[in-house]
Amino acid sequence: MARDFYEVLGVSRTASQDEIQQAYRKLARNYHPDVNKDPGAEERFKDLNEAYSVLSDPKTRARYDRFGEDFRKIPEDFDERVAAGAGGGFRARRTAGAGGPRVRYTTGFGDDFAAEGADIEDLLGSMFGAGAAQGGVPGADQEAELPLTVEEAYRGGRRTVTLAGPTGQPRRYEVVVPPGVTDGQRIRLAGEGGRGNGDAPAGDLYLRVRIQPHPRFRLDGRDVYVQVPVAPWEAALGATVPVPTPGGGTAKVTVPAGSSSGRRLRLRGEGMPNPRGANGDLYAELRVMVPPALGDRERELFEELAATSSFDPRRTR
């Protein structure tokens, strides 16, 4: 939760309405901008007002206790609306969160909200009653991240993934990663999500691909960018140089004479594979490199070039 209103007021979650009011009045006097000239007092005063406006109203407080920071997204008649659509349209999916399970609910009425550390069975029981939860509510969809290197995303293949199960025990999954998956793409494992109630089916497990930063390759969708170092004479005279590909091989690119650092050379179709269409492209970004140390003859040649050439790289064309 981004900000706990009980902590803002310095009271427990079981505090009475009188205790909440007393705590607010005491803190408000201390942090009122007319009294406290500290630079952070005004912001603190605003936080106190927001916390008090929520916790001083029993109905709003109950919704905040139930749904946490997403309580403002929940209509006041939410239970009635969900109960009316419980037979068709209610959907829940559980995702991993730093503070425990995070469950996101969609009701079919356009409501979409999340609850940290929530238990789907407990929530369904509170919404529909214990009988409804036992009568066959589908299991929650679950989501976890699947980190991949650029090379793994390019090639695809079978992966063994170990994730924490509902009880915290590790579970192993065999996953088929299609070649050319992109960052954010989801891989569905049918029936591997949360258990359903009664005879209802289990939910699905979705693995969301997260492609890790790479020391050489940079991705933009299915296009791949790679820096290619070239010598000054290769950039000036032109050359054919090798370019690494995310598949682990190399391609050849022709550097036109008179190229400078930053020039991009396109290798069509050499980017990430696309099972449903055209492959991405590979862009070789030239980076002109100079020798870190010059031999005697090299220095003579560079000095001769400096004396002969009229080229001024700082001249505006």
Side-chain angles (χ1 to χ4, degrees):
M1 190 177 297
R3 180 175 56 227
D4 189 311
F5 291 147
Y6 291 95
E7 290 184 2
V8 171
L9 293 178
V11 297
S12 70
R13 303 189 76 84
T14 58
S16 67
Q17 292 300 118
D18 286 341
E19 290 173 329
I20 290 173
Q21 186 180 66
Q22 292 171 9
Y24 168 73
R25 287 179 175 175
K26 179 180 178 181
L27 292 170
R29 283 195 298 267
N30 292 339
Y31 289 98
H32 195 286
D34 291 343
V35 177
N36 193 327
K37 301 303 181 181
D38 186 271
E42 183 175 358
E43 194 65 29
R44 181 83 166 94
F45 186 74
K46 291 179 181 179
D47 291 343
L48 291 170
N49 280 330
E50 182 183 15
Y52 182 69
S53 68
V54 172
L55 300 183
S56 62
D57 185 319
K59 290 184 178 180
T60 307
R61 179 183 179 182
R63 291 167 62 211
Y64 174 76
D65 289 343
R66 184 174 176 185
F67 300 110
E69 64 179 313
D70 287 307
F71 78 101
R72 289 190 177 91
K73 302 177 183 178
I74 313 304
E76 293 185 3
D77 60 346
F78 181 78
D79 282 0
E80 293 79 5
R81 294 169 66 184
V82 174
F90 182 87
R91 194 62 173 163
R93 65 183 188 275
R94 191 194 309 269
T95 62
R102 180 177 179 85
V103 183
R104 183 162 291 279
Y105 310 95
T106 305
T107 68
F109 295 97
D111 303 307
D112 187 73
F113 63 98
E116 295 284 358
D119 182 84
I120 182 64
E121 288 78 13
D122 289 347
L123 188 69
L124 291 176
S126 67
M127 286 184 174
F128 310 127
Q134 296 171 0
V137 177
D141 289 346
Q142 299 177 349
E143 184 173 297
E145 291 191 351
L146 176 62
L148 296 175
T149 65
V150 173
E151 293 87 351
E152 289 172 333
Y154 181 94
R155 292 190 299 264
R158 303 188 73 87
R159 288 283 307 277
T160 300
V161 179
T162 302
L163 300 172
T167 62
Q169 298 297 317
R171 293 178 59 183
R172 293 166 63 88
Y173 302 90
E174 292 295 325
V175 182
V176 177
V177 179
V181 291
T182 56
D183 190 70
Q185 184 174 333
R186 297 198 305 172
I187 299 174
R188 175 174 174 256
L189 302 182
E192 296 292 348
R195 296 186 302 272
N197 291 102
D199 297 329
D204 299 329
L205 173 61
Y206 289 91
L207 300 180
R208 188 174 294 277
V209 172
R210 292 302 179 200
I211 299 180
Q212 305 302 292
H214 195 279
R216 175 172 288 177
F217 299 113
R218 177 171 56 86
L219 300 185
D220 183 4
R222 296 189 185 277
D223 292 336
V224 182
Y225 294 81
V226 58
Q227 285 194 348
V228 178
V230 294
W233 45 91
E234 291 176 324
L237 303 176
T240 299
V241 299
V243 178
T245 66
T250 58
K252 295 288 187 179
V253 65
T254 299
V255 178
S259 295
S260 298
S261 284
R263 183 168 188 171
R264 289 180 180 174
L265 304 176
R266 178 185 180 191
L267 287 80
R268 187 185 298 273
E270 294 289 345
M272 298 293 284
N274 185 0
R276 297 183 178 87
N279 291 350
D281 298 325
L282 177 63
Y283 289 90
E285 299 179 322
L286 301 184
R287 185 180 179 193
V288 179
M289 308 290 290
V290 300
L294 297 175
D296 293 340
R297 181 55 179 157
E298 288 174 321
R299 179 173 294 277
E300 289 178 7
L301 291 173
F302 273 109
E303 289 175 346
E304 182 179 344
L305 177 62
T308 304
S309 177
S310 60
F311 173 66
D312 182 357
R314 291 164 293 281
R315 182 184 300 163
T316 303
R317 294 185 179 182

